[in-house]
Amino acid sequence: MAPTLLWIGLGNMGRGMSRNIVEKGELSSPLLLYNRSAEKAADVAAKLPVGRTEVVTSLEKAVPKADIIFTCVANDDAVRELFKVMLRVNASGKLFIDCSTIHPDTTGSIAKDVADAGAEFVAAPVFGAPAMADAGQLIGVLAGPRASVEKAKPWFNGVMARAEIDLSDQPYSKATTLKLLGNTFVFNMVEQLAEAHVVAEKSGLGTDVLHQFISHLFPGPYTAYSTRMLTGDYHKRKEPLFAVDLARKDARHARNLAQSAGAEIKTLEIADAHLVKVKQHCGEVGDIAGIYGAVRAEAGLKFENDA
């Protein structure tokens, strides 16, 4: 009989990931949905087939019902608080799969707490934007004991993900280390695009010409972010795709990793300085793509690119 699953965290990524579990996963019982805002959980459930989900409002009551518990929340503090609550109940024999982007030290600490409670743990951060989560095209990074990773895999490749990086029998922290280093590529990509588009505009080359070059040579994320910048999506959103506070958290963690290893990631300093300006201009709804607005403002242009 298929296990009962509990999904915790219904932000931009969690909504798409949980939907794909419902639509593509082999479930014999409704997917239990929990979110700090019960209204958001109810909204997600309403958009899925009737009877395939069940909204739960108490973790203490939901965890005993589940065999596998997924968590995908915003930051280290949220993860710590969740596991503090969940491990108060009898968690023996359950499998916890954490897809959050957190510091590797936090991952290791949580994994130890789970093991001490007689349960299994897999660190499983994912690469991809919310649109990729919606399409089931994420890349999962799975670390933990091989037997636990094998239990987690059926919910990734072909369900929530298009590929996996298997770190079986390696330290849990390797998964979140790779995730943080991978995100530095995103920061640098957005910074490069922002600077190039501003120069293209001010030099008279034109952003449309540069976008054509980008779309031909760098299809995929580069083109998607370039489009978000030129269409003004970076400042028009009511809900960010990659919130500025989360981006700065990831940048801090990545710099900390580098320093602990006796190295540096100097490019992060430029992107993070611009993220500070995004936060000042947009507040909590600021998006990482807003770096474009910050670079524009530094060059004497308006933050927003509307006429």
Side-chain angles (χ1 to χ4, degrees):
M1 185 175 179
T4 297
L5 271 62
L6 166 61
W7 186 277
I8 301 172
L10 294 165
N12 285 332
M13 299 294 288
R15 289 195 294 267
M17 294 168 76
S18 60
R19 181 178 59 78
N20 278 300
I21 283 181
V22 170
E23 295 180 348
K24 303 175 187 176
E26 295 184 10
L27 295 173
S28 60
S29 57
L31 174 65
L32 305 176
L33 295 174
Y34 176 86
N35 195 74
R36 185 172 58 180
S37 166
E39 183 179 353
K40 184 174 286 188
D43 180 63
V44 170
K47 296 175 181 176
L48 292 168
V50 176
R52 298 296 303 278
T53 61
E54 178 186 341
V55 175
V56 294
T57 57
S58 168
L59 285 176
E60 289 89 346
K61 294 180 179 179
V63 170
K65 297 180 181 179
D67 303 299
I68 299 176
I69 297 100
F70 282 90
T71 48
C72 185
V73 295
N75 55 49
D76 300 56
D77 288 343
V79 172
R80 291 190 192 98
E81 183 59 30
L82 273 177
F83 278 88
K84 182 179 178 181
V85 173
M86 292 191 293
L87 296 180
R88 287 176 187 160
V89 303
N90 182 9
S92 180
K94 299 184 185 300
L95 170 62
F96 292 87
I97 304 172
D98 184 41
C99 300
S100 311
T101 301
I102 54 179
H103 194 284
D105 289 349
T106 306
T107 300
S109 176
I110 295 297
K112 182 180 183 304
D113 290 343
V114 171
D116 289 346
E120 300 177 69
F121 183 80
V122 171
V126 295
F127 286 110
M132 295 174 68
D134 290 340
Q137 293 295 299
L138 298 171
I139 298 172
V141 184
L142 280 62
R146 185 170 300 278
S148 301
V149 169
E150 289 301 317
K151 291 180 184 178
K153 278 186 175 183
W155 310 102
F156 284 87
N157 201 3
V159 179
M160 297 188 298
R162 63 178 172 84
E164 298 159 353
I165 298 174
D166 189 335
L167 299 179
S168 293
D169 292 334
Q170 299 196 47
Y172 300 102
S173 59
K174 280 196 173 185
T176 38
T177 297
L178 177 58
K179 169 61 175 172
L180 291 169
L181 287 178
N183 275 7
T184 67
F185 284 70
V186 178
F187 300 141
N188 293 329
M189 172 183 66
V190 174
E191 181 68 34
Q192 178 64 56
L193 285 169
E195 293 181 9
H197 272 309
V198 168
V199 173
E201 179 173 346
K202 296 203 71 175
S203 68
L205 172 66
T207 56
D208 57 334
V209 175
L210 181 63
H211 182 73
Q212 289 183 55
F213 157 76
I214 293 165
S215 62
H216 290 312
L217 196 60
F218 303 113
Y222 271 86
T223 300
Y225 269 103
S226 178
T227 300
R228 292 191 61 208
M229 292 176 184
L230 299 188
T231 60
D233 178 82
Y234 71 95
H235 65 83
K236 294 177 181 177
R237 285 189 158 272
K238 293 181 180 179
E239 183 179 11
L241 292 181
F242 192 167
V244 61
D245 286 343
L246 298 185
R248 294 205 67 210
K249 176 261 298 180
D250 291 356
R252 287 193 301 272
H253 285 344
R255 286 202 304 270
N256 177 267
L257 283 174
Q259 290 167 2
S260 297
E264 294 180 286
I265 306 179
K266 293 183 178 181
T267 54
L268 277 182
E269 297 176 11
I270 301 172
D272 192 44
H274 285 139
L275 287 171
V276 170
K277 294 183 178 181
V278 174
K279 179 65 179 287
Q280 292 170 345
H281 188 89
C282 303
E284 293 183 357
V285 298
D287 186 278
I288 189 174
I291 285 176
Y292 179 45
V295 176
R296 286 173 57 83
E298 286 181 346
L301 300 172
K302 186 182 175 184
F303 185 99
E304 295 82 5
N305 64 344
D306 291 342

